[in-house]
Each structure stands twice: as structure tokens, then as C-alpha cells.
Amino acid sequence: RAVAHLWSEELGFFVTRSFEPPPQRMAEVRSGRTKVGCLMCPPKRKRRCPPEWARGELVDVRELAGLTTPWMFGAASASHAAAFQQVRDANGFDSQWGARIAERRHRCYNFTTSCVTSWHAAVWPFESSKLGAAMIAALRGPHARKMAPHLRPADFGRFLAKYARMHTQGRAEEVAKGDPFIAESFHPDEGYWVSR
């Protein structure tokens, strides 16, 4: 199974592998017209952020997609259940307004540059909806009894309440308070829509 090659024993989480952009896109990336990351950033940075991982290396950060996709599609097993603890960990994905897309504890959390990309780990409604589906799959699937110490029905209820609150009580420019609204990303701590 391909997903097994994305499991990090060190992090106890499914992560991604770093790869360079396709050769046919390199000129575009170097000119700064895409959102591919460090190739667009200033060459001298004080912190190594965003990280520059070696090609094909497992990255050292937990991202929400590493939890949602394997559980949604039945690729995870009971041995991966502890990864759900990151959902309620304030240094992991948990925030006042929903699940961040990257863990707060990482050295590059909330790092911004003068380039187009910034890794601010906002709440993404699309990825959040996948998290809801992953939680349901884990709680109702073949490994449900083994989930208890790591994921409980109350965790899903808490997630759903934050998801609804974000869409009904979050702030956005030119949107009346209380009007339901959705955009691409949401500030996890301040409660407003980052992009429109």
C-alpha cells in the first residue's frame, strides 16, 4: 500500500514527501508567478522557513491532510489511531475556530515572507469537511473500538460546533454579522475570513 510509505514513525502521522516542481514549470516558478514556495522566497532567510527538504524526504510537519485522506478512504489502520490526538491538541491542529491545516508546534508555523506564499496554517473549510468525514469513518469503521483513547464522539461534536460557528459567526468584510458566509481560509485564532 502506497500510504504506508508516507507514515512517519517519528511524528506518528502520515506526512508528505518533498519533490521539485515538474521541469516544464521551473521557469514559471522562478519568475514568481506560482505558489510553489521557497523558490520564490528571498535567498537569505534567518529561519529555514518554509523548510527546504531534500528531494523525496518525508517532511517533518503534521498537516491536516495527513489525517483526513487516509481515514476517509480506509487506508489507515488501528495502529494509526493516535494521530487523531492532534485534533484536540492546542499545539497540534486545535484552535478556537476550528482545525488548523498545519500543526502549531512546528518551527515555521505562522511564518510569512515577502513572496506570494505564507504558511499561516489557517482553517480551510474544505479540509475541515474532510476532517469531519474522516472522524465519522474512524468512529464508525472497522477500528471504532480501538479509537476510544484517541478519538471520541464528543470530539466530533466539538469539531462540528466549531465548524458551524465559523460559518455563522465569523467575520468578513462587507458581510453583515451573523450572515452565513464561506471563503477559502479562516483565521484560526481571530475568527475572520482571511481570503474572499
Side-chain angles (χ1 to χ4, degrees), residues 95-98 100 109-110 120-123 166 171 185-195:
S95 79
Q96 182 178 347
W97 288 88
R100 305 168 199 281
Y109 177 79
N110 207 26
H120 53 72
V123 176
M166 174 178 64
R171 299 181 315 274
S185 59
F186 193 84
H187 196 287
D189 302 310
E190 303 292 325
Y192 64 86
W193 292 96
V194 176
S195 59

mmCIF file of all heavy atoms in Angstrom, residues 95-98 100 109-110 120-123 166 171 185-195:
data_model
loop_
_atom_site.group_PDB
_atom_site.id
_atom_site.type_symbol
_atom_site.label_atom_id
_atom_site.label_comp_id
_atom_site.label_asym_id
_atom_site.label_seq_id
_atom_site.Cartn_x
_atom_site.Cartn_y
_atom_site.Cartn_z
ATOM 1 N N SER A 95 -7.790 24.858 17.508
ATOM 2 C CA SER A 95 -7.796 26.308 17.691
ATOM 3 C C SER A 95 -9.196 26.716 18.134
ATOM 4 O O SER A 95 -10.126 25.905 18.123
ATOM 5 C CB SER A 95 -7.421 27.044 16.400
ATOM 6 O OG SER A 95 -8.520 27.102 15.515
ATOM 7 N N GLN A 96 -9.345 27.958 18.464
ATOM 8 C CA GLN A 96 -10.638 28.470 18.927
ATOM 9 C C GLN A 96 -11.718 28.332 17.858
ATOM 10 O O GLN A 96 -12.882 28.124 18.159
ATOM 11 C CB GLN A 96 -10.475 29.936 19.322
ATOM 12 C CG GLN A 96 -11.739 30.551 19.858
ATOM 13 C CD GLN A 96 -11.528 31.997 20.293
ATOM 14 O OE1 GLN A 96 -10.413 32.461 20.424
ATOM 15 N NE2 GLN A 96 -12.621 32.692 20.504
ATOM 16 N N TRP A 97 -11.328 28.440 16.574
ATOM 17 C CA TRP A 97 -12.311 28.482 15.497
ATOM 18 C C TRP A 97 -12.323 27.249 14.597
ATOM 19 O O TRP A 97 -13.048 27.212 13.617
ATOM 20 C CB TRP A 97 -12.094 29.732 14.655
ATOM 21 C CG TRP A 97 -12.524 30.956 15.384
ATOM 22 C CD1 TRP A 97 -11.768 31.717 16.236
ATOM 23 C CD2 TRP A 97 -13.812 31.558 15.352
ATOM 24 N NE1 TRP A 97 -12.506 32.754 16.729
ATOM 25 C CE2 TRP A 97 -13.767 32.687 16.202
ATOM 26 C CE3 TRP A 97 -15.001 31.272 14.698
ATOM 27 C CZ2 TRP A 97 -14.865 33.525 16.407
ATOM 28 C CZ3 TRP A 97 -16.086 32.109 14.897
ATOM 29 C CH2 TRP A 97 -16.016 33.218 15.742
ATOM 30 N N GLY A 98 -11.523 26.250 14.882
ATOM 31 C CA GLY A 98 -11.535 25.059 14.046
ATOM 32 C C GLY A 98 -10.177 24.398 13.964
ATOM 33 O O GLY A 98 -9.263 24.726 14.731
ATOM 34 N N ARG A 100 -6.674 23.760 12.376
ATOM 35 C CA ARG A 100 -5.644 24.370 11.528
ATOM 36 C C ARG A 100 -5.184 23.344 10.486
ATOM 37 O O ARG A 100 -5.242 22.152 10.738
ATOM 38 C CB ARG A 100 -4.410 24.740 12.346
ATOM 39 C CG ARG A 100 -4.653 25.608 13.515
ATOM 40 C CD ARG A 100 -3.401 25.648 14.412
ATOM 41 N NE ARG A 100 -3.766 26.111 15.728
ATOM 42 C CZ ARG A 100 -3.967 27.384 16.032
ATOM 43 N NH1 ARG A 100 -3.814 28.306 15.127
ATOM 44 N NH2 ARG A 100 -4.313 27.733 17.250
ATOM 45 N N TYR A 109 5.528 27.549 11.869
ATOM 46 C CA TYR A 109 4.129 27.935 11.995
ATOM 47 C C TYR A 109 4.008 29.455 11.945
ATOM 48 O O TYR A 109 4.764 30.177 12.582
ATOM 49 C CB TYR A 109 3.529 27.411 13.303
ATOM 50 C CG TYR A 109 2.110 27.865 13.479
ATOM 51 C CD1 TYR A 109 1.086 27.227 12.802
ATOM 52 C CD2 TYR A 109 1.801 28.952 14.272
ATOM 53 C CE1 TYR A 109 -0.225 27.647 12.931
ATOM 54 C CE2 TYR A 109 0.492 29.385 14.412
ATOM 55 C CZ TYR A 109 -0.513 28.733 13.730
ATOM 56 O OH TYR A 109 -1.799 29.165 13.848
ATOM 57 N N ASN A 110 3.049 29.923 11.195
ATOM 58 C CA ASN A 110 2.756 31.349 11.035
ATOM 59 C C ASN A 110 3.908 32.132 10.425
ATOM 60 O O ASN A 110 4.011 33.339 10.602
ATOM 61 C CB ASN A 110 2.331 31.978 12.364
ATOM 62 C CG ASN A 110 1.427 33.171 12.134
ATOM 63 O OD1 ASN A 110 0.744 33.254 11.120
ATOM 64 N ND2 ASN A 110 1.418 34.091 13.061
ATOM 65 N N HIS A 120 0.596 30.168 7.059
ATOM 66 C CA HIS A 120 -0.030 30.668 8.274
ATOM 67 C C HIS A 120 -0.982 29.661 8.901
ATOM 68 O O HIS A 120 -1.588 29.934 9.921
ATOM 69 C CB HIS A 120 -0.734 31.999 8.031
ATOM 70 C CG HIS A 120 -1.701 31.970 6.901
ATOM 71 N ND1 HIS A 120 -2.896 31.319 6.968
ATOM 72 C CD2 HIS A 120 -1.614 32.495 5.666
ATOM 73 C CE1 HIS A 120 -3.532 31.451 5.815
ATOM 74 N NE2 HIS A 120 -2.775 32.150 5.020
ATOM 75 N N ALA A 121 -1.114 28.499 8.307
ATOM 76 C CA ALA A 121 -1.909 27.403 8.883
ATOM 77 C C ALA A 121 -3.323 27.825 9.262
ATOM 78 O O ALA A 121 -3.793 27.588 10.363
ATOM 79 C CB ALA A 121 -1.188 26.775 10.066
ATOM 80 N N ALA A 122 -3.991 28.434 8.343
ATOM 81 C CA ALA A 122 -5.386 28.838 8.559
ATOM 82 C C ALA A 122 -6.287 27.616 8.659
ATOM 83 O O ALA A 122 -5.859 26.487 8.471
ATOM 84 C CB ALA A 122 -5.836 29.719 7.392
ATOM 85 N N VAL A 123 -7.555 27.858 8.943
ATOM 86 C CA VAL A 123 -8.581 26.820 8.879
ATOM 87 C C VAL A 123 -9.114 26.850 7.450
ATOM 88 O O VAL A 123 -9.489 27.909 6.953
ATOM 89 C CB VAL A 123 -9.724 27.108 9.884
ATOM 90 C CG1 VAL A 123 -10.828 26.071 9.749
ATOM 91 C CG2 VAL A 123 -9.180 27.155 11.298
ATOM 92 N N MET A 166 -17.880 28.882 12.814
ATOM 93 C CA MET A 166 -17.041 29.581 11.849
ATOM 94 C C MET A 166 -17.884 30.138 10.697
ATOM 95 O O MET A 166 -17.687 31.267 10.263
ATOM 96 C CB MET A 166 -15.967 28.625 11.293
ATOM 97 C CG MET A 166 -15.132 29.195 10.168
ATOM 98 S SD MET A 166 -13.857 28.060 9.583
ATOM 99 C CE MET A 166 -14.809 26.711 8.921
ATOM 100 N N ARG A 171 -16.216 36.670 10.975
ATOM 101 C CA ARG A 171 -16.319 37.999 10.380
ATOM 102 C C ARG A 171 -15.722 38.013 8.970
ATOM 103 O O ARG A 171 -14.734 37.346 8.703
ATOM 104 C CB ARG A 171 -15.571 39.011 11.252
ATOM 105 C CG ARG A 171 -16.134 39.125 12.647
ATOM 106 C CD ARG A 171 -15.399 40.158 13.491
ATOM 107 N NE ARG A 171 -13.957 40.126 13.427
ATOM 108 C CZ ARG A 171 -13.162 39.364 14.174
ATOM 109 N NH1 ARG A 171 -13.686 38.526 15.026
ATOM 110 N NH2 ARG A 171 -11.856 39.428 14.075
ATOM 111 N N SER A 185 -10.160 30.468 3.286
ATOM 112 C CA SER A 185 -9.430 30.233 4.527
ATOM 113 C C SER A 185 -9.897 31.180 5.624
ATOM 114 O O SER A 185 -10.381 32.274 5.365
ATOM 115 C CB SER A 185 -7.925 30.382 4.296
ATOM 116 O OG SER A 185 -7.619 31.664 3.810
ATOM 117 N N PHE A 186 -9.711 30.721 6.862
ATOM 118 C CA PHE A 186 -10.253 31.399 8.032
ATOM 119 C C PHE A 186 -9.159 31.484 9.091
ATOM 120 O O PHE A 186 -8.421 30.522 9.320
ATOM 121 C CB PHE A 186 -11.434 30.577 8.552
ATOM 122 C CG PHE A 186 -12.286 31.267 9.550
ATOM 123 C CD1 PHE A 186 -13.302 32.113 9.147
ATOM 124 C CD2 PHE A 186 -12.091 31.062 10.904
ATOM 125 C CE1 PHE A 186 -14.118 32.743 10.072
ATOM 126 C CE2 PHE A 186 -12.896 31.689 11.839
ATOM 127 C CZ PHE A 186 -13.907 32.535 11.421
ATOM 128 N N HIS A 187 -9.046 32.627 9.769
ATOM 129 C CA HIS A 187 -8.021 32.781 10.802
ATOM 130 C C HIS A 187 -8.397 31.923 12.009
ATOM 131 O O HIS A 187 -9.474 32.099 12.586
ATOM 132 C CB HIS A 187 -7.889 34.249 11.217
ATOM 133 C CG HIS A 187 -6.630 34.519 11.957
ATOM 134 N ND1 HIS A 187 -6.438 34.091 13.253
ATOM 135 C CD2 HIS A 187 -5.488 35.144 11.591
ATOM 136 C CE1 HIS A 187 -5.240 34.455 13.658
ATOM 137 N NE2 HIS A 187 -4.636 35.096 12.662
ATOM 138 N N PRO A 188 -7.524 31.008 12.425
ATOM 139 C CA PRO A 188 -7.879 30.060 13.481
ATOM 140 C C PRO A 188 -8.046 30.668 14.867
ATOM 141 O O PRO A 188 -8.743 30.100 15.702
ATOM 142 C CB PRO A 188 -6.719 29.069 13.474
ATOM 143 C CG PRO A 188 -5.572 29.828 12.899
ATOM 144 C CD PRO A 188 -6.162 30.800 11.924
ATOM 145 N N ASP A 189 -7.421 31.812 15.131
ATOM 146 C CA ASP A 189 -7.466 32.408 16.463
ATOM 147 C C ASP A 189 -8.317 33.672 16.539
ATOM 148 O O ASP A 189 -8.912 33.964 17.566
ATOM 149 C CB ASP A 189 -6.050 32.750 16.938
ATOM 150 C CG ASP A 189 -5.159 31.525 16.966
ATOM 151 O OD1 ASP A 189 -5.581 30.509 17.540
ATOM 152 O OD2 ASP A 189 -4.052 31.575 16.397
ATOM 153 N N GLU A 190 -8.370 34.419 15.439
ATOM 154 C CA GLU A 190 -9.038 35.720 15.461
ATOM 155 C C GLU A 190 -10.484 35.687 14.973
ATOM 156 O O GLU A 190 -11.232 36.636 15.193
ATOM 157 C CB GLU A 190 -8.249 36.722 14.610
ATOM 158 C CG GLU A 190 -6.801 36.882 15.041
ATOM 159 C CD GLU A 190 -6.661 37.548 16.395
ATOM 160 O OE1 GLU A 190 -7.483 38.435 16.704
ATOM 161 O OE2 GLU A 190 -5.744 37.176 17.141
ATOM 162 N N GLY A 191 -10.874 34.644 14.246
ATOM 163 C CA GLY A 191 -12.271 34.500 13.850
ATOM 164 C C GLY A 191 -12.716 35.330 12.665
ATOM 165 O O GLY A 191 -13.827 35.858 12.666
ATOM 166 N N TYR A 192 -11.886 35.489 11.658
ATOM 167 C CA TYR A 192 -12.298 36.214 10.448
ATOM 168 C C TYR A 192 -11.805 35.472 9.207
ATOM 169 O O TYR A 192 -10.856 34.709 9.255
ATOM 170 C CB TYR A 192 -11.796 37.652 10.463
ATOM 171 C CG TYR A 192 -10.290 37.806 10.441
ATOM 172 C CD1 TYR A 192 -9.588 37.821 9.231
ATOM 173 C CD2 TYR A 192 -9.564 37.933 11.614
ATOM 174 C CE1 TYR A 192 -8.206 37.942 9.200
ATOM 175 C CE2 TYR A 192 -8.193 38.077 11.602
ATOM 176 C CZ TYR A 192 -7.515 38.073 10.390
ATOM 177 O OH TYR A 192 -6.152 38.188 10.378
ATOM 178 N N TRP A 193 -12.486 35.731 8.090
ATOM 179 C CA TRP A 193 -12.119 35.113 6.817
ATOM 180 C C TRP A 193 -10.889 35.811 6.264
ATOM 181 O O TRP A 193 -10.865 37.010 6.089
ATOM 182 C CB TRP A 193 -13.286 35.180 5.833
ATOM 183 C CG TRP A 193 -14.414 34.299 6.279
ATOM 184 C CD1 TRP A 193 -15.515 34.673 6.981
ATOM 185 C CD2 TRP A 193 -14.498 32.894 6.107
ATOM 186 N NE1 TRP A 193 -16.289 33.568 7.262
ATOM 187 C CE2 TRP A 193 -15.682 32.464 6.736
ATOM 188 C CE3 TRP A 193 -13.677 31.937 5.497
ATOM 189 C CZ2 TRP A 193 -16.083 31.131 6.759
ATOM 190 C CZ3 TRP A 193 -14.086 30.619 5.518
ATOM 191 C CH2 TRP A 193 -15.276 30.224 6.128
ATOM 192 N N VAL A 194 -9.835 35.015 6.002
ATOM 193 C CA VAL A 194 -8.556 35.550 5.520
ATOM 194 C C VAL A 194 -8.655 35.900 4.049
ATOM 195 O O VAL A 194 -8.147 36.915 3.593
ATOM 196 C CB VAL A 194 -7.415 34.525 5.761
ATOM 197 C CG1 VAL A 194 -6.109 35.038 5.186
ATOM 198 C CG2 VAL A 194 -7.284 34.225 7.236
ATOM 199 N N SER A 195 -9.314 35.067 3.275
ATOM 200 C CA SER A 195 -9.449 35.306 1.828
ATOM 201 C C SER A 195 -10.912 35.311 1.453
ATOM 202 O O SER A 195 -11.735 34.674 2.093
ATOM 203 C CB SER A 195 -8.694 34.235 1.046
ATOM 204 O OG SER A 195 -9.202 32.966 1.382
#
